[in-house]
Amino acid sequence: MQLRNSNIEKLADGTFDALIIGGGINGAAAAAALAGKGARVALIDRGDFAGGTSMHSSNLVWGGIKYLESHDYSLVRKLCKSRNHLIKSFPSTVKEIRFLTTIAKGFRYHPRYLWAGTWLYWVMGNGFTRIPHFLRPAAIKAREAIIETSNAIGGFEYSDAYLHDNDARFVFNFVRSALNYGAVAANYVESQGARRENGLWITRACDVMTGESVEIRARVLINAAGPWVDEHNDLTKQKTRHQHAYSKGIHLIVPRLTDSQRVLAFFADDGRLFFVIPMGQRTCIGTTDTRMESPEVHVTDEDIRFVLDNINKRLDLDKPLGHDDIIATRCGVRPLAVQASAGGGRDFLQLSRKHAIDIDPDQAHISIFGGKLTDCLNVGEEIVDEVKRLGIAVPYPDARWYGEPPESVKEEFMHQARLMELDAMTSPDASEPLSTRLWRRYGTHALDMLEEIREDPRQGELLIEGTEYLRCELRQAQRREMITRLEDFLRRRSKISLVVSREQIRRSPGLREACEILFGDQAQVRFDEYFADDTPPPTEALSPAAEVDNPAHSESLKWA
C-alpha cells in the first residue's frame, strides 16, 4: 500500500499538465503516452485499474473482420494495422492465433463468399498473418472433432491475435509504464467533479478506502471513464458531440473443450460472431450483445441460456454443457460511441467499437468515447497530439512509450536464467517455462526477481502448491502493482478467480500467506472483505461432479 499512499499524497502537490479520470485501456494508454513523452500526468480511478469494461473482453486483439459486412473498410484497415503493431511491439503477450469459422446451411452468405472476405481481410492487414484456408465440413471435423458439422456447408480458417495473459493485466502494464515514466497514479480515488478556475481544472477527489478528500490541479482534464464518461461530463457540465450507447456482453468460463490452440467461431442465432476461446485448462464462450440503458449490468438466466443453447447446437459434445459446468462468468458493457444528435434508426448490432475524441479547446477538456484493446496505441498517440494543441509542452515528442524492453535486455535475462537453471524450477503443471512467463509479465523487472531468488531460494518456490505464482511474484505485486483489495490480485493482476471456483480459492492453504505479503497487518480484513458474501451466484459454482473434472488453470492456480 506504500506506493498508493505516497501517490495520493503527490496528487495534491503542484499542478499537473493533465489529469486523467479513469484507468481502463483508454486512460492507461493515454497516461503511458503522455508520461513517456515527458508530460506531468496524474491518473485516478474510483475502483481498481481496468475494473470495468477492460476486464470483461474476449481477450482478443483483432482487426474487426465483422465490420467488412457494414463496409467500414477504413476502420478494418486501421484495426488490422493496430493489431499488427501490437504483435510486433508485445511479442510475448499479443500472439497470432487461428480462427476456425463454421458456416451452417441456410446462412445468409455462402462460405466461399466469406472465405473471399478473409482474403480481403488478410490483404488489408498487409499479409502480416498466415493465409486463410477454405474448409469443407470433413476438413473442419478433422481439425476439430468437437464441432457439429452435420448441418455445416463449409467454413474457413484465418488469423487474428489474442492476449496470452488476461486483458486487465495488459491494461495494468500500461499504468505501470506510466508510473515508470514519472506519472502519479492511484486506484480507489473517485472524482466528485471539477471546476475551471484561472486556467486550471480543480478536481475534488475522495480516497474511497479512507474517505479523505484531495484537490488535484491540472491544466487539462481528460475524461477516460469508459462507460461512465457521460456521467462525469455531467459533473463538469461538458457538452459533447458524442455520447455512449451500451451493449452488454457476457462470457462463460467452462472446463477446456479442446486441446487445440485456436478460436472456434460461429454465427449465433442472432447473427453475430460467437466464439469458443482457449484459456489454458479452461474455455471461454461468448458473447452476447444486449442493448442496455445504463452501464450497470449483471448476468441473467436468459444470458446464460443464450450462450449454452448456442454452443450446444454447434458442438458435438459427449454431454451438453449445463449450469453445473460453469466455473465463472464475465459480464460487462461495451461503450459504443454515437453522435449525440443521431437518431435510433441504425441497427444496434452494426455499431462499431471505434473510438471518438471530443475536445473543448476553450476549457481544455478532452472526452474519450468507445474504443477497444486493439486500438489502444492509437488512442495514446492521439491524446498526446490533442494535449499539444491545447498548449501543453511535450518535451520528448518522438519518445517510444510502449512495447517490450529491447531484445538485448531479454537476452541478458534469459542468459542469467539459464546460468541459474531457472527453468528447472518450473512446476510440472505449468503451461510454459518459468523464464518465459516471468519475462512476459515483468520485463526488465524480472531481472530483480532473479536476484531475489539467488539471495533467497525460497523466493523461487511456489507460494501455493500447484500454482504458477512464486513468492517473489507476490512480493513484486505488493511493491509495484498497487493491489488494494484481494480482488485486485485474484481477478485483475491475475485471472485466478475466473478459472478457479470461489470455494477452491477459500480453501487454498497458501492464500493466507499471500494476503500477509500483499496487505501486512490488513491481511485478515482484506481476506474477510473478499469472502464477505458466502452466497455467490450459482453460475459461479461447480457441481461436485464438475469439481472432480476441473483441474485449475495451468496459467494460474491448481488449488489444493
Side-chain angles (χ1 to χ4, degrees):
M1 296 289 286
Q2 183 175 350
L3 174 61
R4 177 178 178 272
N5 292 341
S6 64
N7 275 10
I8 289 176
E9 292 177 2
K10 293 175 183 176
L11 287 174
D13 184 18
T15 300
F16 294 94
D17 292 322
L19 169 63
I20 301 170
I21 309 293
I25 187 59
N26 288 339
L34 286 166
K37 292 175 182 291
R40 188 160 187 248
V41 180
L43 169 68
I44 61 174
D45 193 295
R46 67 180 181 182
D48 189 27
F49 304 118
T53 296
S54 293
M55 74 172 187
H56 293 298
S57 79
S58 299
N59 276 19
L60 300 178
V61 178
W62 63 317
I65 190 171
K66 73 173 186 176
Y67 303 135
L68 289 177
E69 186 175 8
S70 55
H71 308 294
D72 204 341
Y73 301 119
S74 61
L75 176 61
V76 174
R77 170 70 172 160
K78 181 179 181 182
L79 290 177
C80 281
K81 291 171 66 177
S82 299
R83 175 204 64 196
N84 298 349
H85 196 28
L86 284 172
I87 292 173
K88 289 186 290 187
S89 301
F90 298 93
S92 300
T93 300
V94 183
K95 296 178 177 292
E96 179 179 347
I97 192 170
R98 295 296 273 178
F99 282 61
L100 196 164
T101 304
T102 304
I103 306 300
K105 296 173 183 175
F107 188 66
R108 60 184 181 271
Y109 298 118
H110 190 278
R112 288 194 179 276
Y113 179 82
L114 296 173
W115 173 58
T118 65
W119 276 97
L120 174 60
Y121 189 59
W122 182 76
V123 170
M124 294 177 79
N126 294 336
F128 185 80
T129 59
R130 294 163 56 192
I131 63 173
H133 295 293
F134 176 79
L135 301 172
R136 299 185 185 278
I140 294 173
K141 195 71 172 178
R143 279 172 166 79
E144 287 289 351
I146 67 166
I147 296 179
E148 171 57 62
T149 57
S150 61
N151 191 46
I153 192 173
F156 48 90
E157 194 173 54
Y158 68 100
S159 286
D160 254 314
Y162 80 116
L163 293 172
H164 194 288
D165 275 322
N166 61 324
D167 44 10
R169 176 84 207 183
F170 182 70
V171 173
F172 175 77
N173 284 342
F174 281 108
V175 177
R176 186 60 252 183
S177 293
L179 289 167
N180 293 345
Y181 292 130
V184 176
N187 52 1
Y188 297 99
V189 175
E190 181 175 10
S191 168
Q192 298 178 326
R195 65 186 186 275
R196 186 80 173 162
E197 286 185 5
N198 301 320
L200 293 178
W201 280 101
I202 303 174
T203 300
R204 303 182 309 279
C206 174
D207 182 343
V208 173
M209 305 303 292
T210 66
E212 295 180 1
S213 297
V214 61
E215 284 196 341
I216 310 169
R217 288 169 168 77
R219 296 180 176 85
V220 176
L221 186 63
I222 301 174
N223 182 356
W228 297 276
V229 163
D230 298 312
E231 179 182 303
H232 196 271
N233 278 341
D234 288 341
L235 292 177
T236 53
K237 298 180 173 57
Q238 286 292 308
K239 301 297 182 183
T240 55
R241 292 183 298 110
H242 291 88
Q243 63 185 30
H244 276 140
Y246 304 110
S247 167
K248 180 177 74 170
I250 79 152
H251 297 85
L252 305 182
I253 312 299
V254 300
R256 185 170 62 187
L257 299 178
T258 173
D259 293 337
S260 68
Q261 283 298 304
R262 61 163 63 92
V263 176
L264 308 185
F266 308 92
F267 285 91
D269 292 345
D270 66 358
R272 67 172 281 119
L273 279 168
F274 188 82
F275 299 115
V276 175
I277 304 166
M279 191 182 276
Q281 294 293 334
R282 301 290 186 243
T283 295
C284 179
I285 307 170
T287 179
T288 57
D289 199 343
T290 308
R291 186 161 196 165
M292 307 299 292
E293 296 303 317
S294 82
E296 310 296 340
V297 296
H298 64 278
V299 179
T300 67
D301 289 340
E302 183 180 358
D303 295 329
I304 293 171
R305 280 197 303 271
F306 176 87
V307 175
L308 291 177
D309 288 348
N310 272 279
I311 199 59
N312 285 326
K313 288 178 186 177
R314 290 158 177 83
L315 296 184
D316 182 14
L317 302 173
D318 293 337
K319 175 178 171 289
L321 289 172
H323 280 71
D324 289 347
D325 297 299
I326 300 171
I327 299 165
T329 61
R330 312 179 82 174
C331 178
V333 294
R334 308 170 188 88
L336 306 172
V338 296
Q339 291 283 345
S341 59
R346 184 175 178 185
D347 183 357
F348 179 70
L349 295 179
Q350 294 298 319
L351 289 176
S352 77
R353 297 288 304 280
K354 62 185 175 183
H355 68 270
I357 298 175
D358 283 5
I359 315 295
D360 182 343
D362 294 332
Q363 296 199 41
H365 187 280
I366 299 174
S367 301
I368 309 174
F369 296 89
K372 57 188 299 177
L373 291 170
T374 310
D375 214 18
C376 62
L377 301 186
N378 291 326
V379 170
E381 293 289 355
E382 290 171 29
I383 290 299
V384 170
D385 290 342
E386 296 299 343
V387 166
K388 287 164 61 178
R389 291 190 187 98
L390 293 173
I392 301 300
V394 178
Y396 309 104
D398 298 323
R400 181 181 171 90
W401 55 273
Y402 55 85
E404 294 183 11
E407 188 65 25
S408 60
V409 178
K410 180 179 180 180
E411 289 174 359
E412 176 61 24
F413 168 77
M414 291 298 180
H415 179 60
Q416 290 192 31
R418 285 190 294 270
L419 290 175
M420 62 188 291
E421 298 183 342
L422 180 70
D423 288 344
M425 305 178 192
T426 305
S427 166
D429 298 325
S431 59
E432 61 187 344
L434 185 53
S435 59
T436 301
R437 181 170 61 76
L438 291 182
W439 173 258
R440 186 183 68 251
R441 286 186 181 163
Y442 306 106
T444 303
H445 296 286
L447 285 161
D448 299 333
M449 301 172 84
L450 296 184
E451 183 62 24
E452 289 188 48
I453 295 171
R454 281 193 289 265
E455 291 180 359
D456 177 9
R458 289 182 71 252
Q459 296 304 314
E461 296 175 355
L462 296 173
L463 181 60
I464 306 167
E465 182 183 355
T467 73
E468 290 194 48
Y469 281 88
L470 310 182
R471 276 191 176 83
C472 62
E473 289 185 83
L474 268 295
R475 296 190 183 281
Q476 174 92 347
Q478 186 272 332
R479 289 194 303 270
R480 306 188 69 254
E481 297 189 357
M482 218 174 293
I483 293 172
T484 306
R485 289 175 165 155
L486 184 53
E487 184 189 8
D488 302 341
F489 171 66
L490 293 176
R491 176 62 180 84
R492 287 177 285 276
R493 306 302 182 270
S494 74
K495 53 178 177 277
I496 293 169
S497 65
L498 274 180
V499 297
V500 180
S501 71
R502 184 182 180 90
E503 187 54 35
Q504 284 178 291
I505 293 173
R506 181 196 289 274
R507 294 199 310 264
S508 164
L511 186 60
R512 297 277 182 174
E513 183 180 348
C515 286
E516 290 170 4
I517 292 172
L518 292 171
F519 307 116
D521 58 8
Q522 289 288 304
Q524 189 64 50
V525 173
R526 295 296 164 231
F527 182 93
D528 293 342
E529 175 187 67
Y530 184 78
F531 291 106
D533 180 6
D534 287 331
T535 55
T539 56
E540 295 185 6
L542 287 173
S543 68
E547 188 89 25
V548 174
D549 193 39
N550 283 315
H553 187 279
S554 61
E555 201 28 40
S556 303
L557 296 176
K558 184 178 180 182
W559 300 83

